[in-house]
């Protein structure tokens, strides 16, 4: 059974796995607004980079079925990041994806994907079975019906995967609002009150 009180996420113990945020799949998303989903996953990717958290990104059949990553996310990823295109339903079953995550040496894994119940849930469950503490950022995932969302969340909880919103995971890794990247990070999350907090802290330092 996964520890219900895992060690907190930090920028040193965590990696981010983004699975199949592709244009074709986004056309079927029904449980969250597409614009909101784009915003959330893009903000998650940007925040991870500000914190030095490595990102692994995948697609499925990008050339002949589901198309490339949504442009907003592609633009937010590092220019030299190789997006792994695969055929396996479960991203964890692709040797390249699994080996890339393992090589990072992180034991905490945040997963987001389209769809929630397959692209996010299956690798998160597999990573948990492999000894990782896995988290799914639910609002950086999308799926095709309310039933799929509900059953996906139930399956994640049954498997011991930690379910959260993306911003809570990001600020847990941030840990300290006095961190130099905090104002920019809160800007990425579209939380302007966080930027004000940073300005307040800076003002108190004078």
């Amino acid at each position: 059974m996964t520890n219900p009180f895992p060690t907190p996420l930090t920028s040193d113990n965590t990696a981010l796995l983004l699975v199949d945020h592709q244009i074709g799949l986004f056309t079927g998303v029904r449980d969250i607004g597409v614009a909101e989903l784009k915003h959330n996953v893009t903000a998650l990717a940007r925040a991870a980079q500000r914190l030095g958290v490595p990102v692994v990104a995948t697609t499925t059949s990008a050339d002949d079925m589901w198309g490339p990553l949504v442009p907003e996310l592609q633009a937010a990823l590092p220019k030299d990041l190789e997006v792994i295109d695969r055929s396996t339903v479960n991203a964890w079953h692709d040797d390249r994806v699994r080996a890339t995550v393992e090589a990072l040496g992180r034991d905490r894994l945040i997963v987001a994907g389209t769809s929630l119940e397959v692209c996010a849930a299956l690798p998160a469950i597999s990573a948990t079975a492999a000894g990782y503490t896995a988290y799914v950022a639910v609002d950086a995932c999308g799926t095709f019906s309310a039933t799929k969302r509900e059953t996906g969340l139930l399956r994640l909880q049954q498997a011991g995967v930690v379910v959260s919103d993306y911003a809570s995971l990001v600020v847990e890794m941030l840990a300290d609002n006095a961190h130099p990247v905090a104002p920019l990070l809160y800007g990425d999350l579209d939380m302007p009150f966080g930027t004000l907090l940073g300005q307040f802290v800076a003002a108190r330092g004078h």
Side-chain angles (χ1 to χ4, degrees):
M1 180 67 179
T2 301
N3 180 359
F5 305 105
T7 302
L9 294 170
T10 71
S11 58
D12 295 321
N13 68 11
T14 304
L16 173 62
L17 175 60
L18 300 176
V19 184
D20 300 0
H21 291 87
Q22 294 168 256
I23 293 171
L25 290 168
F26 269 46
T27 64
V29 169
R30 297 292 181 268
D31 66 320
I32 183 173
V34 169
E36 182 180 359
L37 176 56
K38 286 181 176 181
H39 170 276
N40 293 351
V41 69
T42 299
L44 178 58
R46 285 179 177 153
Q49 291 172 80
R50 291 199 191 280
L51 294 170
V53 172
V55 179
V56 180
T58 82
T59 54
T60 299
S61 303
D63 292 333
D64 56 16
M65 185 178 290
W66 300 120
L69 295 176
V70 294
E72 293 86 348
L73 175 58
Q74 183 69 67
L77 293 173
K79 300 299 183 185
D80 59 349
L81 180 68
E82 179 184 356
V83 177
I84 301 172
D85 191 59
R86 58 177 218 289
S87 62
T88 60
V89 172
N90 184 342
W92 197 257
H93 291 166
D94 185 288
D95 292 341
R96 297 165 299 165
V97 174
R98 189 173 62 256
T100 300
V101 173
E102 291 172 348
L104 296 172
R106 311 292 180 101
D107 62 2
R108 303 290 186 267
L109 185 65
I110 298 172
V111 185
T114 309
S115 65
L116 166 67
E117 76 287 354
V118 174
C119 298
L122 296 186
I125 291 168
S126 293
T128 299
Y132 290 80
T133 302
Y135 300 71
V136 167
V138 174
D139 54 353
C141 303
T143 191
F144 314 126
S145 72
T147 298
K148 286 181 175 293
R149 180 182 182 86
E150 292 165 5
T151 57
L153 291 173
L154 286 170
R155 188 173 185 188
L156 286 168
Q157 292 171 324
Q158 290 162 353
V161 176
V162 182
V163 174
S164 181
D165 67 283
Y166 83 96
S168 294
L169 299 174
V170 168
V171 297
E172 182 176 346
M173 291 187 290
L174 174 65
D176 188 345
N177 285 313
H179 193 296
V181 305
L184 293 173
L185 187 143
Y186 281 117
D188 291 335
L189 304 185
D190 200 20
M191 298 167 68
F193 55 85
T195 302
L196 291 172
L197 174 62
Q199 293 168 345
F200 176 70
V201 170
R204 289 185 63 186
H206 292 306

